[in-house]
Structures are given as C-alpha cells and as structure tokens.
Amino acid sequence: MKKKFTRRKRGAAALLFGAFISTGLFIWAVRVELFFSPNSVTMLLDQEERHNNAPLSGSTQSINRFYSKLRKLDKITPNFNSDTKKLELTVASSSDPSKKEEVVFFEEIESRFLTPLLPYARAEKLSEFDSFNLMLAEYARNGVSLSRQHSNKVLGSFHGGRDFFDPFAQEYNYKEGIIGPNENVTPKRMSIINNCLSPGLWEINAQDSVGEMYHGWFSMPKDQYFSMIRVNNDLKVSDLKLRFALRYNKNAEVLLELERLRKEIKTLYAGKAQLASNKVIGSYSSQDSRRKVQRQFFNIKRDGEIINAKYFSDLRSGDIFELYAFIPPGIYSTEKLQTITYNPDWQEIEIREVQPLTQFKGNQSQFDDMGYIELVLYSSDRSHAFIIGNIPIALLVMQEDYDIPALGVGVLPASEPIERRYLRFKEGPSPHYAYMARIKEGKFYGVNNHEYGIEQIYLRPFEKEGSPFLRITFVSYERIMDVLEVEVPLNELVFDRIRLASNNYRRPLFRTYLDSNIL
C-alpha cells in the first residue's frame, strides 16, 4: 500500500533535499579547496619522447591525445584514510582555481589494490625476506582502471565536477570528411598506476574507446604512501625503515624463506628442459609486448654489431638484446638503452606438489581442489635457478597462458580493470611466487631479477606430436619482448592432472571481465 505523502512530509522532504544539496555543494567546494593543502602536488603532463608527433609509448594512442580538456588539470591532492584503507584523489587546475567545475574526483579506491603486499604470515617487524619481497613488488608496475560513476563504494570510481564531462559529446569531430580531435570527449575509463621506477612515483591516464587520451605523472606524498603500505600489511615500522626496505638494491642476495610461502608435499617430476629454438624472435606473450615489438623497441647485437636473427636458434650465448630504456618519470628513451645478455643455459627442472601458505583472503578458493605445484628450473652448472610456485593446476591449462606479471610473491598485473582486481582478491587462487636465485651450499638466495633483464614469466602446457610439454617463456625488462623460452617434457603423473583441468576449464571472471563501454 502506498503511503499518503502529506504536505507536511513534502515540506520536510523539500527542506531535507535542500539541505542535502547545499551541504553537497559545500562539501564539493571544500574538496576542491583541498587541492591547495600541503599534500597537493604537481602533475607533469605528456612527458614522453615524441616520434612523428606521437608519444613513444607502449599504449595505443587516441587522436584526442594532447587535445583533451583534461590537460587543464595539473594539480592533484591525494587523501588516504587509514581507517577505511581507501584512497581518494582530487585532480584540478592550478592556473584558474576559480573554475571549480574543472575537477575530477577519484573515490573509494581500495589502496591495497595499488601497494606492495606481503600475502603470507609474518611478524609486525620486517625481516630481510619481507623487505626483499616489498622491493620486488615496488619495482613492478601496478595499475587499475576505473569507470565513470558518481559513486561506487565497492569498486571505486571517478567523476567530474559540475558539467565538466559532457556525456553526449562525440568521440571525435567530423568535418568535411576529415576526422579530428574533440577536446570535450568524455573518457570511458581512467587509470591510477603505481609506477615501477621509484617509491611514490605514480601516474594517472584516461582512455576513450580507442586509446590513451591523457597521461600525467605525480609524486604521492611519502607519508601517505608509507601509511598505505603499513596499514595494508599490518606492519609497525617507521617511515625510515620502509624507505630502506623499498630502496632499489641491485646487489640483493637474500635467503629465500620458501617454507613461509608453501609446504612441500612430494616431487612429481625431474627431467631436462630444452630450448624452444624454433621460436621467432620478436614474438610476444601479451598485447603490451606486441605494440613494443611492432614499434621496434629492440635490437640484437653480436660483437657490437646489429644482427638480423629470425629464430632463437640463430642466437649464441652472449648475444645482446638492446632495448629502449625506461627512465624517470616513467617514459621510454631511444637515447638510453638497456641491455640483456642472452643465456640459453637452463636445462634441468623439478616439479613438486605444494600446499600454499599465501593468501589475499581467508576463505578457500574454487581453484584449490586440483592442487598447486612448484617449478624449479636450474642452470646447467646448478649455480642459479628460477623458482616458480603456488601455481594452481586448475588454471594451468592448454587453453591459455598462466602469467606471472612480475617476480616476487603475489605481485599483481601491471594494468587491469579494477573489477578484475576486486574479483582476483575475492575469488582467485592463492597468490603465486617467482624468484631468480643464486644457489649456495644447497640454499636459494633471491637476487634482483631486474638486473638480469627478466620481468615476467608465462606458463603454457601443450602437446607436440602426441607428447605433453610445458612451455616456460621469460619476458624482458619492461615487458618489451620474449627473451627466452624452454619446453619441458611432462610425465603422465603431471599431465593427467593438467588434462583434467583443461577439460573442466571455464575462464574465471577475473580473467575475462571487459567494460562494454570500450569494446
């Protein structure tokens, strides 16, 4: 039954609504004024090198890049709430603060989605192993994209000031048969990225339906950043100790306390790996790599001269991959180059069944039932190894790659929709780990993999001429290209499980979610 809406109730409702509106406008105005708080920092826009008037970038660029009215926004005020563990950002214009409608708000963002995490049992103080894991996570790119909504307390969102975004604006201007940029286009998604170059260096970008239309870099205030890391990891350490833990240690050599990440159950396989010599140089494991390869971000040299090698079988140990360097504030350089020495000398492998001790959450996952494995790939002289563990067999399938976005433990993808990240934490498997290690007296000591030019690992089981194999692909610094691939023959004990997982596989939503606004 509908309740009678009396005049008195209408009057009260009008009064309440008026109070809400006036309070809302007051809060909105105050939030813009926060831009001039001590935590306000400058946004550096469009820092990339340009080639043919286009930025040197691994991202697809929109025709609206360099024209969007978002470029008026060059000041940012972060606000981290340590009680809710959520982050808010206010981005506005420093040139004309009287225009309070020229502002974008990022709200209700789970800060744990963007900070280094230690997803395993630990003390409130940092051990050397904990500090090593924080460092590896810090120097891995970590970003999420958000949708435009006025409010979303679960996933977070962004929205503009009054009338700043025109929802009816066309994506491009079209005049006399020529497509041109439209400065008023509304972004479909905006991203927040924790940059991989130094602690506290962050980025914001915006995308229309084609590509990137705005990009800025800023420094997260250190007190807020360290507070995020402390709160999300239940740590009781000072800013000074966190700063020390997060420093880039090129000579790191830390005993890997793998027993804190998993329990060994049994060995499933021990054998020889073989080089994938017929792999084409310049092939790629991700769309990110594809764009960089196609834009020729690399050369290969032998004895100081560029060589035209087509397959990995054409390479010799000691050949040099020469890649565009990634330099502050987070851009590619054609002048500075990063080099990686080709080393195909990885021959022996062990596969173990393990029980994970890592977690993003307390409840069990649907991916636990088929068990988890650990791979150890050794150099032929057993002086070094790659250790890759807590890999859920339920997701190690023939249909698609299992990706390790960066070495460390529980390191998150370089970029993904925040919807995927939320689901990854809520429904995903136990966090995996991966390390490059030096072996001394039978013990593994983690080293800084960035110094060896390795950033990502992809795993993919497959069959060749009726025999089962596991392909392990190593991707270079800055995800530019594949630099090594080995194939591991599998026994039936391992492959029977993988075959069953492949037969039962349904892609989880944290791998498949797409925003239909940008399709």
Side-chain angles (χ1 to χ4, degrees):
M1 177 184 292
K2 290 185 179 178
K3 290 188 177 179
K4 205 169 185 180
F5 198 51
T6 65
R7 181 176 297 174
R8 178 177 295 179
K9 288 178 179 176
R10 271 199 299 268
L15 182 63
L16 179 62
F17 183 67
F20 171 76
I21 290 295
S22 62
T23 303
L25 294 181
F26 171 74
I27 291 172
W28 182 84
V30 167
R31 287 173 62 196
V32 177
E33 291 302 325
L34 279 175
F35 203 75
F36 300 98
S37 76
N39 279 328
S40 295
V41 294
T42 299
M43 182 93 78
L44 300 174
L45 303 179
D46 308 327
Q47 297 294 295
E48 304 101 325
E49 287 186 19
R50 293 204 196 183
H51 289 252
N52 300 321
N53 204 35
L56 182 65
S57 170
S59 302
T60 300
Q61 299 297 304
S62 167
I63 194 173
N64 292 311
R65 181 73 192 271
F66 307 124
Y67 296 94
S68 168
K69 66 180 181 181
L70 286 169
R71 298 183 76 250
K72 299 176 182 178
L73 311 183
D74 61 354
K75 276 281 192 180
I76 185 163
T77 302
N79 181 28
F80 172 61
N81 186 322
S82 59
D83 294 326
T84 64
K85 302 183 182 180
K86 289 192 174 182
L87 174 67
E88 295 187 348
L89 303 171
T90 303
V91 193
S93 170
S94 62
S95 60
D96 192 354
S98 64
K99 293 185 176 180
K100 297 188 184 300
E101 71 278 4
E102 293 185 351
V103 62
V104 172
F105 302 112
F106 294 82
E107 298 178 330
E108 300 285 349
I109 301 161
E110 290 274 3
S111 60
R112 62 181 175 152
F113 292 165
L114 289 162
T115 56
L117 298 176
L118 299 174
Y120 54 89
R122 65 203 171 278
E124 292 177 341
K125 304 293 184 181
L126 288 172
S127 71
E128 189 178 22
F129 179 60
D130 299 332
S131 296
F132 180 62
N133 284 322
L134 282 179
M135 182 201 73
L136 291 180
E138 175 61 46
Y139 293 93
R141 187 177 179 85
N142 180 359
V144 293
S145 69
L146 298 99
S147 64
R148 185 172 65 88
Q149 304 175 59
H150 187 71
S151 177
N152 189 322
K153 293 186 179 297
V154 176
L155 298 173
S157 61
F158 76 91
H159 64 92
R162 290 185 306 244
D163 303 322
F164 184 62
F165 290 134
D166 178 2
F168 303 106
Q170 297 297 310
E171 193 95 336
Y172 311 108
N173 286 323
Y174 188 76
K175 187 176 181 180
E176 298 178 357
I178 299 175
I179 295 175
N182 181 0
E183 69 170 13
N184 294 313
V185 66
T186 297
K188 305 294 187 185
R189 307 278 294 192
M190 291 191 74
S191 297
I192 303 173
I193 301 116
N194 187 349
N195 190 294
C196 59
L197 278 176
S198 65
L201 180 58
W202 287 44
E203 305 170 36
I204 286 179
N205 66 26
Q207 305 90 37
D208 59 24
S209 62
V210 171
E212 186 175 65
M213 54 181 280
Y214 167 86
H215 202 142
W217 289 258
F218 70 97
S219 293
M220 179 69 70
K222 287 289 195 296
D223 59 334
Q224 294 199 47
Y225 187 48
F226 292 151
S227 180
M228 284 186 241
I229 295 173
R230 263 194 300 269
V231 168
N232 287 315
N233 290 289
D234 296 321
L235 295 173
K236 292 184 178 179
V237 294
S238 66
D239 285 2
L240 183 62
K241 288 186 177 179
L242 269 181
R243 187 188 295 269
F244 184 77
L246 295 175
R247 80 198 190 286
Y248 186 82
N249 185 357
K250 63 182 296 184
N251 299 314
E253 190 170 304
V254 176
L255 180 65
L256 295 180
E257 299 174 26
L258 298 176
E259 67 279 2
R260 296 174 62 189
L261 309 182
R262 51 71 171 138
K263 292 181 180 177
E264 285 190 51
I265 297 177
K266 62 182 177 182
T267 297
L268 300 175
Y269 176 78
K272 296 281 189 181
Q274 56 195 43
L275 181 69
S277 56
N278 60 345
K279 181 178 175 66
V280 176
I281 293 172
S283 53
Y284 41 82
S285 298
S286 69
Q287 292 302 306
D288 188 13
S289 294
R290 174 186 64 80
R291 290 186 288 267
K292 295 167 187 175
V293 165
Q294 291 178 346
R295 293 167 192 174
Q296 202 60 40
F297 276 35
F298 75 96
N299 281 309
I300 301 175
K301 285 188 173 181
R302 179 180 298 157
D303 300 327
E305 300 292 330
I306 294 175
I307 63 171
N308 185 23
K310 185 175 181 180
Y311 300 100
F312 274 79
S313 58
D314 297 327
L315 298 181
R316 301 175 190 166
S317 182
D319 286 344
I320 301 295
F321 292 97
E322 197 173 66
L323 314 172
Y324 289 171
F326 197 63
I327 63 173
I331 61 174
Y332 291 99
S333 171
T334 57
E335 300 297 325
K336 296 183 179 179
L337 301 173
Q338 175 81 12
T339 59
I340 301 171
T341 302
Y342 177 60
N343 176 17
D345 191 23
W346 302 90
Q347 297 182 1
E348 297 183 42
I349 191 162
E350 295 173 357
I351 302 178
R352 304 185 183 98
E353 184 173 6
V354 296
Q355 177 186 337
L357 300 178
T358 55
Q359 61 176 19
F360 287 136
K361 56 188 183 342
N363 56 305
Q364 289 187 320
S365 165
Q366 62 176 308
F367 307 104
D368 294 344
D369 293 345
M370 300 197 70
Y372 291 76
I373 60 172
E374 176 184 83
L375 315 172
V376 184
L377 180 64
Y378 295 94
S379 61
S380 60
D381 62 1
R382 292 243 170 182
S383 64
H384 289 78
F386 284 101
I387 304 121
I388 310 162
N390 288 357
I391 307 301
I393 295 176
L395 296 176
L396 188 63
V397 295
M398 291 184 278
Q399 289 92 325
E400 62 180 325
D401 292 336
Y402 185 92
D403 63 306
I404 310 288
L407 274 63
V409 54
V411 181
L412 299 163
S415 178
E416 66 180 344
I418 201 163
E419 294 87 348
R420 289 194 189 185
R421 187 142 304 177
Y422 170 80
L423 291 166
R424 191 181 298 278
F425 275 71
K426 183 181 179 183
E427 302 175 359
S430 296
H432 55 235
Y433 55 85
Y435 299 101
M436 187 175 183
R438 183 172 287 115
I439 303 173
K440 293 164 50 176
E441 298 179 353
K443 295 181 179 180
F444 295 119
Y445 289 81
V447 298
N448 188 339
N449 54 282
H450 298 289
E451 291 299 304
Y452 296 83
I454 301 296
E455 181 158 339
Q456 292 182 321
I457 302 173
Y458 286 84
L459 307 174
R460 182 76 165 268
F462 68 102
E463 291 185 274
K464 180 170 65 175
E465 298 177 355
S467 297
F469 289 85
L470 176 66
R471 180 184 296 122
I472 308 176
T473 305
F474 296 87
V475 183
S476 77
Y477 159 91
E478 271 306 304
R479 308 167 303 282
I480 291 176
M481 63 182 299
D482 298 352
V483 291
L484 177 68
E485 189 168 278
V486 298
E487 296 174 350
V488 179
L490 298 176
N491 59 14
E492 289 301 317
L493 180 63
V494 176
F495 197 68
D496 281 350
R497 293 197 197 184
I498 290 174
R499 185 184 290 113
L500 179 60
S502 299
N503 291 339
N504 294 334
Y505 183 62
R506 299 292 182 272
R507 296 192 76 200
L509 195 55
F510 66 78
R511 281 184 168 180
T512 62
Y513 175 86
L514 290 173
D515 186 341
S516 59
N517 288 311
I518 56 175
L519 294 179

